[in-house]
Amino acid sequence: SANFLKDELFELTRQLENVKNTNIKSVHLDIEWDGMSKELKRLFENDGKTEVLVLASKAVAKCFDVPKDKYVIHHAKTLEEAKELLKYDLSAAFIDPGLGARKDKGHVLSISDYNSIGNDFFKEMIRIGTGLPVYILEVDETFSEVDRRTFIQEGAENTICLQKSKPEAFSQEFERIMEELYMEKENLSFSQKGWVIDFCTKQIVDETLGKAEIYFYDLRKTMAINMESRDTILTEAERPDVRFSDVIGAKKAKEELSYFINYLKNPKQFLVEGGKPPKGVLLYGPPGTGKTMLAKAMAGETDVNFIQISATEFMNRYVGASEENIRKLFKKARRYAPAIIFIDEIDAIGKKRTGGTETSTTESMLNTLLTEMEGFATDNKKPVFVLAATNYGVHGRDDGISALDEALVRRFDNRIYVDLPTEEERKVYIDKISKSRNLTALSDEVKTNIAERTTGQSLAIIQNVVDLAYRNAVKEQKKVTDDILLNALEEYLYGEKKERDADYYKKVAIHEVGHAYTAYIGGDKPSYITIESRGDFGGYIQHANQEDIPEYSREDLICRIRTCLAGRAAESVFYGREKSLNTGASSDLDRATDLAWKILCAYGMDADSLIVLRKEEILLSTMAQDYVSKVNDILKEEMQNTIKIIEEGKEKIKAIADILVKENYLTGAQFEELMNGGNFS
């Protein structure tokens, strides 16, 4: 500050050489206020309310007669009240060390040794390490220089004189102190984010008043992060504009991360409440579930520094360089703390250690990461929080991939599984992306249908489907319509459509409507029926989303078997048994057989046996023939029941099949309308 002021005064005197007969009696500094951004104005002027804790008697607290629109005074008279008030977002604490002092205090040489409520609370605050500025009140007396130095050495910011007979003088001093604290805090936060203020100056002379002025104007913020850090630290302008409200699903993850954001913004409150400073959170789960988007949303929500990196970026072919890269990252984060480090694909260096020579470099990197996360040389008042993401299962059981190292997993305060979205979440996402892309030609029915049919798919897959529909629409010079979006889903999942002859489509239509009709009669509504040939199938029906159904009864499974058999049963009823014996029903029969085995072996639903055995165990035992006969009996019995259902609905099946041949596909809503007597066209 001294050098800064000296340089400006030097420039003023240099300019005054051009002015003759000057009679300058005073020099003033002023700032161009109009036009300054709101963010910069906050560095000079507090536009909010400042909260302050006062631990003193009621008479002393009355001396804090300050504007209520600028300050909130939290008064406490006991140790318990004061501790409770620490939960507020306080800017400073003012403590009377004589509050609650014993009567024999005259025998104590130093005021800091008083056995008092004030001293007890002061020592408690220092022990907790809140980082809150503490001012010791000299109430109606003047401390000795020794006492002042003692309080400051123990952690107080300073002492301040308060005479109850002159409350106005104290109020003025109080406001001056709070203004300084505010500006110091705001400027520190501003500089920690890598910003400085750039400005222009000009010198103005008013000879009439004998006044010179140094005028600062065109104030703007400029990055001051060094080049070494510039490539990883995201500034506020560079951070994604994603917010938690933009992230579909992941409710648990958002709640947990919101908690940690609040901690990073106000770590002292967390420490006051006895919390252990958290190290980080590990996000894991299937690819495409939004783990990286959650990290971006955390960057968008927080006002602390955000450092983003992939674990593979640590790797270097030179010995020791990879480990040094990790140490540099954490050193950088501590320099700009409070800060968040986001490490994507952490499994690149976080797999379970084996001790093999070929993995020694990776394991050394992991050891370095574990040491840094342990918090050596970390200031709890300026925390560094690690957010990591991986597609690996934490314990190796969720996806069959090798587990992450247990020591690494243990470093994180919580491991959050980011699951695949539910049907409702998929519907919300499709609505959102439709609005952002201005896809006005899409009907709510088809958007609901897409959400219903994408069970087990991530939002990233849905995004890809919409992108494919958009590209296909551009090629055809059309808007994205229902047909184009539905076709895009089919094309993305199963490949290009294959052309067949008319007789083939008629037969496939009977086959697929047979499935759909039987499913509908059994209470299982189809969501999509198509005769288009893609991949290794000629057509198919898709069942309505049943991801929320907790269990199935034996009758539910029998209905599923009938649905599987209904394609061949329909061909048998319409074309005769011999023509129905073709390869088109192979996958249907495979599923029906599997369900029958499960009824007998996995679910204990056989009337004569409750024992549960694996199919492979049975087939290798003397019971094989008996169980095979039972499975075949179930299939033969249900085939007869299915044929009866098809015969009873033959007329309706034929009518719907004719429409299906014409349209190529039917949504679940269209099929249900036809089943209920509607005339879809």
Side-chain angles (χ1 to χ4, degrees):
S1 298
N3 289 334
F4 166 76
L5 186 59
K6 182 177 68 175
D7 291 343
E8 293 300 328
L9 289 172
F10 174 79
E11 180 62 21
L12 174 64
T13 55
R14 193 176 71 85
Q15 294 291 342
L16 287 176
E17 291 179 2
N18 297 322
V19 182
K20 295 180 179 179
N21 302 320
T22 55
N23 185 26
I24 302 301
K25 297 178 181 178
S26 61
V27 178
H28 299 259
L29 287 82
D30 201 1
I31 296 176
E32 181 184 53
W33 194 253
D34 295 337
M36 190 189 303
S37 69
K38 188 176 181 182
E39 181 182 20
L40 291 184
K41 284 183 178 179
R42 284 203 304 268
L43 298 176
F44 303 97
E45 185 176 76
N46 187 358
D47 58 359
K49 283 189 176 183
T50 300
E51 300 188 56
V52 175
L53 169 62
V54 175
L55 180 63
S57 65
K58 190 173 182 180
V60 171
K62 283 183 177 180
C63 295
F64 287 79
D65 185 18
V66 290
K68 290 183 172 54
D69 60 334
K70 292 177 62 178
Y71 300 98
V72 177
I73 305 299
H74 297 286
H75 177 220
K77 300 186 296 297
T78 67
L79 189 63
E80 291 71 24
E81 289 176 353
K83 287 182 178 180
E84 183 65 23
L85 289 173
L86 283 174
K87 67 183 181 181
Y88 290 98
D89 185 17
L90 302 170
S91 295
F94 290 79
I95 299 174
D96 177 6
L99 179 68
R102 294 192 313 182
K103 293 182 179 179
D104 60 348
K105 66 179 183 180
H107 300 291
V108 179
L109 293 177
S110 175
I111 298 174
S112 64
D113 292 331
Y114 282 0
N115 184 3
S116 66
I117 295 172
N119 276 335
D120 288 346
F121 182 61
F122 171 61
K123 291 171 183 176
E124 179 70 8
M125 287 187 68
I126 301 305
R127 184 191 66 80
I128 293 172
T130 62
L132 192 68
V134 178
Y135 288 84
I136 303 299
L137 297 172
E138 302 180 40
V139 181
D140 288 337
E141 62 177 319
T142 301
F143 290 174
S144 69
E145 191 60 31
V146 173
D147 283 337
R148 284 200 190 94
R149 283 202 304 268
T150 300
F151 278 116
I152 293 172
Q153 287 170 358
E154 290 180 353
E157 193 77 14
N158 209 336
T159 63
I160 177 173
C161 181
L162 186 154
Q163 295 185 31
K164 294 196 290 289
S165 61
K166 298 178 180 179
E168 300 84 4
F170 170 76
S171 295
Q172 291 177 4
E173 180 65 8
F174 169 82
E175 290 200 62
R176 185 194 65 77
I177 290 173
M178 296 314 300
E179 183 178 355
E180 283 186 1
L181 286 177
Y182 170 80
M183 294 178 69
E184 180 182 327
K185 177 184 175 183
E186 288 297 311
N187 280 274
L188 180 61
S189 175
F190 189 77
S191 61
Q192 281 179 337
K193 294 174 185 176
W195 296 110
V196 294
I197 299 178
D198 196 6
F199 56 88
C200 298
T201 60
K202 58 183 176 181
Q203 293 72 35
I204 303 171
V205 175
D206 189 332
E207 295 186 56
T208 305
L209 299 176
K211 182 178 77 171
E213 184 175 76
I214 301 172
Y215 189 70
F216 299 84
Y217 67 97
D218 193 18
L219 276 72
R220 56 197 177 278
K221 68 177 186 178
T222 306
M223 284 301 302
I225 292 176
N226 59 42
M227 292 304 296
E228 179 188 356
S229 307
R230 185 66 183 82
D231 58 340
T232 51
I233 293 182
L234 301 183
T235 69
E236 286 142 330
E238 295 169 323
R239 288 177 196 164
D241 57 0
V242 181
R243 297 292 185 269
F244 282 146
S245 58
D246 299 318
V247 180
I248 309 299
K251 182 179 178 182
K252 172 66 177 176
K254 287 188 283 188
E255 289 177 354
E256 189 75 2
L257 294 178
S258 295
Y259 170 81
F260 288 116
I261 286 174
N262 292 332
Y263 158 69
L264 289 167
K265 289 182 176 180
N266 190 11
K268 66 174 179 283
Q269 180 178 330
F270 189 88
L271 295 171
V272 163
E273 294 174 353
K276 178 184 176 184
K279 298 182 182 72
V281 166
L282 175 65
L283 303 175
Y284 73 105
T289 50
K291 297 183 289 296
T292 300
M293 192 173 183
L294 276 168
K296 290 180 178 179
M298 193 169 187
E301 292 280 354
T302 184
D303 62 353
V304 302
N305 279 309
F306 189 87
I307 304 175
Q308 180 176 331
I309 197 167
S310 173
T312 56
E313 295 179 49
F314 292 131
M315 297 180 178
N316 193 297
R317 61 178 177 169
Y318 297 107
V319 176
S322 301
E323 295 86 336
E324 184 60 24
N325 288 339
I326 295 173
R327 285 189 284 268
K328 283 181 179 178
L329 176 71
F330 278 83
K331 182 179 179 181
K332 188 186 305 177
R334 293 184 184 109
R335 184 189 309 148
Y336 296 106
I340 297 170
I341 298 175
F342 171 52
I343 307 176
D344 201 6
E345 304 294 346
I346 198 171
D347 44 88
I349 61 172
K351 296 176 186 177
K352 184 176 289 186
R353 288 168 284 188
T354 61
T357 55
E358 70 280 359
T359 60
S360 59
T361 300
T362 303
E363 292 185 1
S364 178
M365 293 169 63
L366 176 58
N367 289 332
T368 303
L369 177 62
L370 294 175
T371 301
E372 293 296 331
M373 287 188 64
E374 191 60 39
F376 296 151
T378 296
D379 184 353
N380 290 336
K381 297 186 288 296
K382 295 173 60 180
V384 173
F385 184 80
V386 179
L387 180 64
T390 177
N391 296 331
Y392 278 50
V394 166
H395 300 294
R397 295 192 294 267
D398 301 289
D399 51 15
I401 306 176
S402 300
L404 296 176
D405 188 83
E406 292 181 3
L408 175 62
V409 174
R410 198 167 55 248
R411 288 296 191 279
F412 292 97
D413 296 272
N414 200 356
R415 289 89 71 185
I416 302 174
Y417 184 73
V418 184
D419 205 352
L420 291 164
T422 64
E423 179 183 335
E424 181 58 33
E425 289 166 351
R426 295 193 297 272
K427 176 65 165 58
V428 170
Y429 183 73
I430 294 169
D431 281 336
K432 181 179 178 179
I433 198 171
S434 298
K435 290 177 182 176
S436 66
R437 292 288 191 89
N438 197 29
L439 306 181
T440 56
L442 292 178
S443 67
D444 288 338
E445 178 188 326
V446 165
K447 287 188 283 188
T448 300
N449 183 264
I450 295 291
E452 188 177 48
R453 294 171 54 211
T454 46
T455 304
Q457 303 292 350
S458 67
L459 298 182
I461 296 297
I462 296 175
Q463 170 77 60
N464 291 341
V465 169
V466 174
D467 289 343
L468 178 59
Y470 187 81
R471 290 196 300 272
N472 290 343
V474 171
K475 292 175 187 176
E476 299 176 24
Q477 297 183 335
K478 296 179 179 178
K479 288 186 175 182
V480 178
T481 62
D482 289 349
D483 285 340
I484 290 176
L485 182 59
L486 290 169
N487 182 71
L489 179 61
E490 298 293 299
E491 183 181 340
Y492 186 86
L493 295 178
Y494 308 116
E496 288 284 344
K497 181 173 66 173
K498 300 174 183 177
E499 295 298 333
R500 307 293 186 185
D501 59 45
D503 290 338
Y504 177 83
Y505 284 129
K506 289 179 182 178
K507 190 175 182 181
V508 171
I510 291 294
H511 182 105
E512 300 303 336
V513 175
H515 282 308
Y517 180 86
T518 305
Y520 190 85
I521 294 299
D524 183 7
K525 296 179 181 180
S527 61
Y528 192 76
I529 311 152
T530 181
I531 58 173
E532 291 179 343
S533 180
R534 297 176 189 269
D536 59 352
F537 59 84
Y540 75 97
I541 77 159
Q542 188 169 358
H543 298 277
N545 176 27
Q546 296 181 335
E547 59 192 24
D548 294 329
I549 297 177
E551 61 183 13
Y552 293 94
S553 66
R554 187 179 192 279
E555 183 58 30
D556 292 332
L557 299 180
I558 290 296
C559 288
R560 281 294 181 94
I561 290 175
R562 290 173 188 163
T563 299
C564 292
L565 299 174
R568 174 165 284 188
E571 290 187 45
S572 178
V573 169
F574 280 87
Y575 301 110
R577 185 176 183 278
E578 288 301 318
K579 289 189 176 182
S580 72
L581 302 178
N582 56 62
T583 60
S586 61
S587 60
D588 297 332
L589 294 174
D590 183 58
R591 285 195 296 272
T593 303
D594 183 60
L595 284 168
W597 272 107
K598 286 179 176 177
I599 286 174
L600 296 175
C601 307
Y603 302 138
M605 293 178 175
D606 183 18
D608 300 327
S609 175
L610 289 175
I611 191 169
V612 174
L613 294 169
R614 290 191 299 115
K615 176 182 175 181
E616 293 76 12
E617 292 176 329
I618 293 172
L619 292 176
L620 293 173
S621 71
T622 57
M623 300 182 292
Q625 186 58 49
D626 182 37
Y627 270 84
V628 168
S629 296
K630 287 182 178 181
V631 169
N632 196 38
D633 288 343
I634 291 174
L635 296 177
K636 287 194 296 184
E637 180 182 352
E638 295 313 320
M639 175 59 86
Q640 294 305 312
N641 291 333
T642 305
I643 288 174
K644 184 178 179 181
I645 292 171
I646 297 294
E647 287 174 339
E648 291 173 353
K650 185 175 181 180
E651 184 178 339
K652 180 157 285 190
I653 290 171
K654 177 64 169 63
I656 297 175
D658 289 342
I659 295 174
L660 182 57
V661 169
K662 179 182 176 183
E663 301 292 336
N664 285 333
Y665 72 86
L666 292 171
T667 65
Q670 291 167 345
F671 176 78
E672 187 169 7
E673 182 182 344
L674 292 170
M675 286 294 293
N676 292 327
N679 182 24
F680 170 75
S681 58

